[in-house]
Amino acid sequence: MKHNGGTCQTTPLRTAIILMSFLSAIASFVGCSPSQPAATKVEPVANDADHNRYFQEGSDLIKPYLRLHGVPEKSTSSSKAKADITRGIALLDAVIAYNTNNWAAWWTIGKGYQALGDADKSCDAFGKSYAIQKGNPDVAREYMFACLETGRISEAVSAAEHGVNLLPQDAGLYANLALAYTMAGRIPDAQSAINKSLQIDPADQISLTLRRVIQEIADGKRPQPRTLRELEGRK
């Protein structure tokens, strides 16, 4: 059976670690064969069995280099790491060519480009995943951060608002919304969203820090950030 990435609702999630577990479950569900040795050329997918095998192999190649909250990421500086990720993306590109609705393949491609430091291609892939799978709040969350990283602020706000609508009792999604509003210069809306986050989870340190930053912007003690790098103090 050809795997389309799934369309079911997920339970409340606070980190992308849960999404990776979901993707692993997908790979188990499709019953793909073990990864094959790397090759320089990826043949087109000809049937459902190839589709599932390519999805498994491509995901397995990229998985060690995923950037996930709270999980140390494996270095991508070696030539082997870059080759693994590049081949993983190529395999998943072939999957997409055969089955354009495989949102999980698009998501993993996005993580692959993210690991390689290509923010624009990463954001484009996450956007494809989000366009297909609107029922998964972590897909919206990942797309939102990618949009902020690339300066696509209005898209980030839209994705963050959608995530909150999916799970209105998720404190992390409200914090994400506050972050997106902050980057959009909508400080009163950001204050409202971060206060909602802290009503749900008063002890969350990330939300407490973001509330302080938002207040400093409101008080004129901190300039309005133009990029996510500026907000995070990165050069």
Side-chain angles (χ1 to χ4, degrees), residues 133-144:
Q133 175 53 280
K134 290 289 184 68
N136 188 316
D138 272 320
V139 173
R141 189 196 314 264
E142 194 77 61
Y143 180 48
M144 184 216 76

Side-chain angles (χ1 to χ4, degrees), residues 5-235:
T7 57
C8 62
Q9 290 280 355
T10 59
T11 55
L13 307 173
R14 285 303 308 274
T15 72
I17 299 172
I18 305 300
L19 183 55
M20 191 57 237
S21 298
F22 184 44
L23 287 175
S24 297
I26 291 173
S28 298
F29 171 75
V30 298
C32 307
S33 61
S35 299
Q36 300 298 316
T40 57
K41 182 180 179 181
V42 173
E43 297 295 333
V45 171
N47 51 53
D48 290 356
D50 283 350
H51 169 279
N52 294 340
R53 178 169 58 85
Y54 277 33
F55 178 82
Q56 177 72 68
E57 183 180 347
S59 299
D60 285 348
L61 286 168
I62 294 172
K63 183 177 179 179
Y65 308 100
L66 295 182
R67 296 180 185 176
L68 300 173
H69 179 70
V71 179
E73 61 191 73
K74 189 174 179 179
S75 173
T76 60
S77 60
S78 70
S79 58
K80 181 183 184 305
K82 290 181 174 62
D84 284 349
I85 297 169
T86 299
R87 174 162 173 80
I89 291 171
L91 287 163
L92 293 174
D93 280 340
V95 167
I96 294 301
Y98 181 80
N99 176 19
T100 58
N101 290 322
N102 190 325
W103 68 266
W106 280 117
W107 187 91
T108 310
I109 289 170
K111 297 301 284 186
Y113 280 123
Q114 184 184 73
L116 292 175
D118 194 327
D120 286 322
K121 288 185 178 180
S122 176
C123 188
D124 289 342
F126 286 136
K128 295 285 189 180
S129 180
Y130 175 67
I132 298 166
Q133 175 53 280
K134 290 289 184 68
N136 188 316
D138 272 320
V139 173
R141 189 196 314 264
E142 194 77 61
Y143 180 48
M144 184 216 76
F145 279 112
C147 286
L148 290 181
E149 191 71 32
T150 54
R152 306 178 197 185
I153 306 302
S154 61
E155 292 94 329
V157 169
S158 178
E161 289 175 339
H162 182 72
V164 164
N165 288 334
L166 288 175
L167 289 176
Q169 295 304 313
D170 188 292
L173 290 172
Y174 272 104
N176 292 345
L177 180 59
L179 176 60
Y181 281 151
T182 300
M183 297 303 301
R186 296 169 57 176
I187 301 305
D189 290 335
Q191 290 174 317
S192 177
I194 200 62
N195 286 338
K196 179 65 175 179
S197 174
L198 287 166
Q199 287 174 11
I200 298 170
D201 187 358
D204 184 73
Q205 292 302 309
I206 293 176
S207 293
L208 288 168
T209 299
L210 183 55
R211 182 176 65 177
R212 174 179 56 78
V213 170
I214 293 169
Q215 189 60 51
E216 289 175 356
I217 295 171
D219 293 341
K221 297 178 180 179
R222 178 191 289 258
Q224 167 66 41
R226 296 169 298 176
T227 66
L228 192 58
R229 287 179 174 270
E230 287 184 0
L231 183 70
E232 296 175 347
R234 290 183 287 162
K235 296 182 179 180

